[in-house]
Amino acid sequence: MPLTSVADRLRESMWRSANDKRLKRLKRVVDAMPATPPTDLTALDMGSDTSLAGFLAAVGEAAGRELGLPPFPNQYQAAAALLRGASIELATGEGKTLVGAMAAAGWALQGRHVHVLTANDYLAARDADWMGPLYRGFGLTCGAVQAGQDLPERQRAYGADVTYSSVAEAGFDLLRDRLATHPNRRTGARREVVLVDEADAVLLDEARVPLVLAADAEPHRDEHAVALAAYVRGLEAGEDYVVAPDRRTVNLTDAGLRRVEADHPGRDLFGTDSEFLVSLNLALHAHAVLERDIDYLVADGRVWLVSGSRGRVDRLQRWPDGLQLAVEAKEALGSAPGLQVLDQLVVAELVGGYEQLVGMSATMRAADEELESLYGVQTVVVPSHLPCRRDDQPTRLYATSDQRDAAVAALVGEASGDGRPVLVATQSVRESERIAGLLRAVGLDCVLLNARNATEEAAIISEAGSAGRITVSTQMAGRGTDVVLSKDAAAAGGLLVVGVGRFASARLDGQLRGRAGRQGDPGESVFLASLEDRLVTDNDPDHPQPASVDGDGQVEENRANRRVLGVIDHAQRVSDGDQRSLRWLSWRYGELLRVQRAHLAGVRDTCLEGPAALERLAGHAGEEIAELGERVGQDALEAAARLALVAAIDATWSAHLGHAAELREGIHLRALAREDPLSEFEKEMGAAYQGLAEQILDDAVATLLDAPVVDGRLDLESLETRIPSATWAYTVTDNELGSDLTRIGRSLRRLMSKD
Ligand code: ADP
């Protein structure tokens, strides 16, 4: 839409009511923005008047009229920053949904298509529904994508000016579009502007979680994994291995290592066969840490780590391959149907496909350098419209986790007794169950929130602000919904947020604290940590011991304890740094594959219609193909060439991905051998890609010439069945498992340095 007609439209609908005085005030508000990054304001010049301020006046009017939400001054500032291309930090409860919609309307009026990405389906539907009248006020449309929708429904949702969707659905749709066998089987999503809600969580915390499309494949049985599963069953718990108290990790003891060495003579565990030790660790993890029906289910002869809308094919999660295999071996499912990964992507690839990326969250600033270096995102901090009245207490540090747990129970009991709502946040699902059990054991009634049913989540969180209510949750649960205080609860001092242990980064701590004290509410936050927390044992195992603790085991605030009191912050910095380098590393590992994928997808696109596919194949094996053409006719030949080529491209890419995964799994071991694993990886994958083109053409020609010809007609249907269809869509998780190969690599390195 040309800009002049945007201006006309604005003037027609909303403009008249935005009088001069209001406009001037808005211009002042916008000009008073904290330092905005340099932006292209001309892109927003909507004709005459004061452009951006003019649009904001109109959209503000519409928000008041259509939604009953006249924006606060800081919401205008936030929307202006977004429209200028910056990402925003805005505290929880300040109304990011409306801000996002104001900006989205601005982009859409410039004729740009907008995708608003939320944490889950529930929020996508809710926000589209809630903000719909605002868009309609401007003659714009909006739609929401939901899991389980069929293609026409998705096409409708993507056909709207503004489309709300979860990150996962947007990713799966991009993958499906890439694998479509005909242009009209695509969603039609136009990837122009993407606005990511909870941007730091999506772009950083979940950045390494791949979204995967897979097809059913031949059963496979890994004898090695099966043998190891049997072997670890014979090891003695407590003797040969110990499971950490939080039940998240298992480690071989020195005695265990000696036993493994003795049982496998000829294996050089700390040298050439270190890969064996990795597989053994995975088998042990599957055996000793993961429990059937708690951590995973066995259904239809498969092991599934189930989440989301229960039992739904669309939203499954899997572990990284090695661990998945180990669990399958443990459950003796070796002959279960396998999965063939067709294509996958991480969120970086999804958001990188848009012309423009902006984000919003309550905790952007703490990560702004990383967000800028990875995604080129610049952040502006927008002040709250009311001053924050939340009281953030310093962390209380206890010597042992038992002492800390007792202190948590006491604190929660007291606050709840005073009529304050309490939100207890834990580090993992297991931990949340443990803490809930503990509270119930001392007679404290609590609601446990860790199931990932988003609809329930929203309901539980919206109740979490009533007087005396105790809610125990995991960190990410209930994202995007507000804890609204009841009158009594506010009078009693507002929400108390209790963190059981500090999180892996200060930013995550901040996300949690933000639950309390929304929109000027009273509130308080405090973390209770212990020296036995994983944050400490993982990242600062050689910390100093406290010189003195009080009667409850809390490390006393005095000079002698100065160093030990700093342990938590130190461990958190180490952990944060580790996470950051991991993200950087996976980004680098992914880079080459992303380029290769984009290139191949481009080739594939040109082959979906017309004679391009046939021309490519004819260039490869002209004579035989010409001869086939004489028998079946040109049209049939072109159609068959398209199918054969697409089938070959998809199969070859799938194999290439498999190769990359294998290489990566093994390559960290080369790091131990002091080779540069990344450049090794790139060298090998680069060379492998060189060979793909030839192989694709060979395969496609063979398929084409193999196709049955019945009565002078080519059997296109049988060719179509050669293209594997994506029956599975899932995410791969290594959350909460601590089985990450890097951890194993780390412990291996420790072991080796002992010698
Ligand atoms: P955030 O995502 O920033 O935490 P939400 O978008 O969920 O916040 O909004 C929080 C609450 O604030 C909602 O209940 C919403 O109705 C309310 N709200 C937002 N903007 C306004 C406004 N301009 N006037 C009144 N209430 C508002």
Side-chain angles (χ1 to χ4, degrees):
M1 185 186 320
L3 289 178
T4 44
S5 85
V6 171
D8 289 347
R9 239 162 126 172
L10 279 173
R11 224 166 271 117
E12 256 173 50
S13 57
M14 300 297 161
W15 185 248
R16 251 169 279 134
S17 43
N19 61 34
D20 274 359
K21 215 166 122 202
R22 187 192 179 97
L23 232 159
K24 281 204 190 99
R25 204 185 68 216
L26 271 166
K27 191 165 161 21
R28 272 204 306 277
V29 168
V30 172
D31 289 345
M33 280 292 296
T36 30
T39 47
D40 182 11
L41 274 175
T42 52
L44 268 165
D45 196 345
M46 296 177 175
S48 58
D49 308 305
T50 24
S51 61
L52 179 54
F55 165 70
L56 290 174
V59 79
E61 183 66 26
R65 233 195 257 174
E66 309 289 336
L67 304 174
L69 300 173
F72 303 118
N74 67 333
Q75 288 180 310
Y76 286 111
Q77 293 180 327
L82 288 173
L83 283 166
R84 286 169 158 166
S87 294
I88 54 157
E89 171 168 310
L90 183 60
T92 310
E94 290 287 313
K96 281 188 282 296
T97 316
L98 175 59
V99 167
M102 290 161 73
W107 285 306
L109 284 171
Q110 297 169 66
R112 305 178 70 194
H113 192 84
V114 189
H115 288 179
V116 185
L117 302 190
T118 60
N120 56 48
D121 277 8
Y122 164 75
L123 290 173
R126 186 201 69 177
D127 292 354
D129 204 43
W130 186 15
M131 295 295 133
L134 179 72
Y135 296 116
R136 287 193 285 280
F138 285 92
L140 299 166
T141 55
C142 78
V145 177
Q146 300 279 294
Q149 279 177 340
D150 60 17
L151 184 60
E153 286 169 315
R154 279 168 200 271
Q155 286 169 332
R156 262 198 303 285
Y158 283 111
D161 297 306
V162 179
T163 309
Y164 286 83
S165 137
S166 70
V167 178
E169 285 308 312
F172 288 136
D173 280 333
L174 175 56
L175 285 168
R176 290 189 197 106
D177 280 353
R178 263 186 350 203
L179 289 172
T181 49
H182 194 275
N184 66 16
R185 289 190 205 157
R186 291 196 166 142
T187 60
R190 282 173 307 171
R191 299 185 175 89
E192 292 167 7
V193 182
V194 63
L195 173 59
V196 183
D197 198 6
E198 313 265 6
D200 58 323
V202 171
L203 299 178
L204 299 179
D205 304 327
E206 289 151 32
R208 295 196 303 126
V209 176
L211 303 172
V212 181
L213 286 190
D216 288 304
E218 289 297 303
H220 70 283
R221 191 182 170 87
D222 187 304
E223 296 304 334
H224 186 50
V226 173
L228 279 177
Y231 177 72
V232 295
R233 229 168 276 146
L235 296 179
E236 296 282 338
E239 185 89 8
D240 298 321
Y241 62 85
V242 277
V243 178
D246 61 8
R247 297 203 48 84
R248 283 166 65 173
T249 44
V250 57
N251 281 302
L252 284 170
T253 59
D254 285 345
L257 271 171
R258 279 196 298 277
R259 176 164 170 191
V260 172
E261 263 184 311
D263 289 342
H264 298 86
R267 281 219 186 253
D268 175 13
L269 296 189
F270 303 111
T272 49
D273 286 334
S274 51
E275 213 161 323
F276 171 78
L277 205 54
V278 173
S279 309
L280 183 85
N281 264 299
L282 290 172
L284 195 57
H285 191 95
H287 170 65
V289 176
L290 298 180
E291 284 175 54
R292 184 171 170 163
D293 297 331
I294 293 183
D295 298 297
Y296 61 91
L297 301 174
V298 176
D300 300 333
R302 287 176 200 258
V303 169
W304 290 115
L305 198 173
V306 185
S307 79
S309 26
R310 264 159 230 138
R312 197 179 207 128
V313 172
D314 236 343
R315 272 309 177 74
L316 291 168
Q317 293 192 320
R318 271 170 71 88
W319 291 296
D321 276 349
L323 186 59
Q324 185 81 22
L325 201 67
V327 178
E328 280 164 4
K330 167 188 173 186
E331 295 295 336
L333 296 172
S335 59
L339 284 180
Q340 180 197 359
V341 173
L342 297 177
D343 201 2
Q344 66 179 50
L345 55 73
V346 290
V347 68
E349 198 170 349
L350 172 66
V351 296
Y354 288 80
E355 288 165 12
Q356 190 180 354
L357 160 67
V358 282
M360 35 184 202
S361 114
T363 44
M364 293 283 275
R365 197 51 183 251
D368 61 353
E369 268 176 43
E370 192 179 0
L371 287 168
E372 176 155 12
S373 69
L374 290 180
Y375 298 96
V377 156
Q378 287 178 307
T379 304
V380 167
V381 178
V382 182
S384 314
H385 84 278
L386 290 173
C388 178
R389 285 203 286 150
R390 189 181 65 230
D391 183 8
D392 292 330
Q393 300 271 347
T395 297
R396 298 178 199 168
L397 178 64
Y398 292 82
T400 70
S401 56
D402 284 347
Q403 289 162 336
R404 187 266 316 281
D405 291 351
V408 167
L411 179 64
V412 170
E414 193 185 326
S416 164
D418 292 346
R420 298 177 66 181
V422 188
L423 179 68
V424 186
T426 60
Q427 307 274 331
S428 69
V429 174
R430 250 179 221 286
E431 184 87 340
S432 66
E433 269 153 15
R434 195 176 63 76
I435 294 290
L438 201 105
L439 294 177
R440 285 177 186 140
V442 296
L444 294 171
D445 204 16
C446 61
V447 181
L448 179 59
L449 171 55
N450 66 19
R452 296 169 202 183
N453 185 320
T455 324
E456 250 173 69
E457 262 179 40
I460 292 176
I461 287 290
S462 68
E463 290 279 295
S466 45
R469 174 97 158 195
I470 303 171
T471 310
V472 179
S473 80
T474 50
Q475 160 72 352
M476 296 317 273
R479 262 165 55 181
T481 13
D482 241 13
V483 178
V484 181
L485 294 182
S486 72
K487 237 201 193 112
D488 302 351
L495 181 69
L496 170 65
V497 168
V498 179
V500 182
R502 292 254 301 262
F503 289 99
S505 80
R507 190 170 44 78
L508 295 179
D509 289 348
Q511 283 178 10
L512 177 64
R513 288 193 201 273
R515 287 285 187 185
R518 71 181 253 297
Q519 296 198 350
D521 279 346
E524 186 180 347
S525 76
V526 63
F527 286 86
L528 278 68
S530 94
L531 290 170
E532 291 176 348
D533 287 352
R534 253 188 70 187
L535 182 68
V536 177
T537 55
D538 276 5
N539 299 293
D540 191 2
D542 306 318
H543 62 81
Q545 291 301 322
S548 60
V549 296
D550 71 8
D552 297 327
Q554 184 177 350
V555 178
E556 289 174 317
E557 303 265 344
N558 57 35
R559 279 182 66 101
N561 278 335
R562 200 172 45 92
R563 283 197 49 224
V564 69
L565 286 165
V567 162
I568 295 285
D569 285 336
H570 176 252
Q572 196 175 51
R573 279 194 300 274
V574 173
S575 146
D576 201 20
D578 273 5
Q579 289 298 318
R580 225 174 315 164
S581 13
L582 257 182
R583 282 194 289 268
W584 178 240
L585 204 61
S586 29
W587 177 278
R588 295 290 310 276
Y589 270 101
E591 223 166 359
L592 179 67
L593 282 178
R594 282 198 287 278
V595 172
Q596 295 179 340
R597 185 56 179 131
H599 176 248
L600 196 60
V603 173
R604 190 185 185 281
D605 263 3
T606 64
C607 297
L608 290 182
E609 284 176 300
L614 180 59
E615 282 161 12
R616 279 177 192 270
L617 296 190
H620 196 65
E623 260 175 48
E624 292 141 295
I625 290 178
E627 193 237 321
L628 178 64
E630 274 162 29
R631 285 197 286 148
V632 301
Q634 186 69 11
D635 284 353
L637 191 65
E638 275 183 16
R642 286 196 291 269
L643 292 173
L645 197 53
V646 165
I649 289 176
D650 291 352
T652 311
W653 179 253
S654 164
H656 190 66
L657 276 182
H659 180 46
E662 247 168 55
L663 194 61
R664 258 213 79 169
E665 214 161 280
I667 214 146
H668 68 284
L669 296 167
R670 296 194 197 179
L672 301 177
R674 304 231 147 67
E675 283 173 49
D676 171 15
L678 178 61
S679 63
E680 285 290 305
F681 178 83
E682 293 193 327
K683 231 190 306 173
E684 225 170 302
M685 291 317 293
Y689 192 73
Q690 294 302 319
L692 290 195
E694 191 71 13
Q695 191 192 331
I696 287 170
L697 290 173
D698 284 348
D699 288 358
V701 167
T703 304
L704 183 61
L705 297 177
D706 251 13
V709 180
V710 186
D711 299 334
R713 291 169 60 120
L714 251 177
D715 184 358
L716 293 179
E717 262 168 40
S718 86
L719 275 178
E720 200 138 11
T721 61
R722 293 287 192 100
I723 303 173
S725 60
T727 36
W728 305 95
Y730 58 86
T731 57
V732 179
T733 179
D734 58 5
N735 283 350
E736 297 175 16
L737 287 171
S739 71
D740 206 351
L741 289 175
T742 48
R743 291 176 48 79
I744 297 171
R746 220 200 261 176
S747 61
L748 264 174
R749 220 168 323 170
R750 251 205 309 266
L751 277 170
M752 286 166 68
S753 61
K754 268 188 195 161
D755 294 348

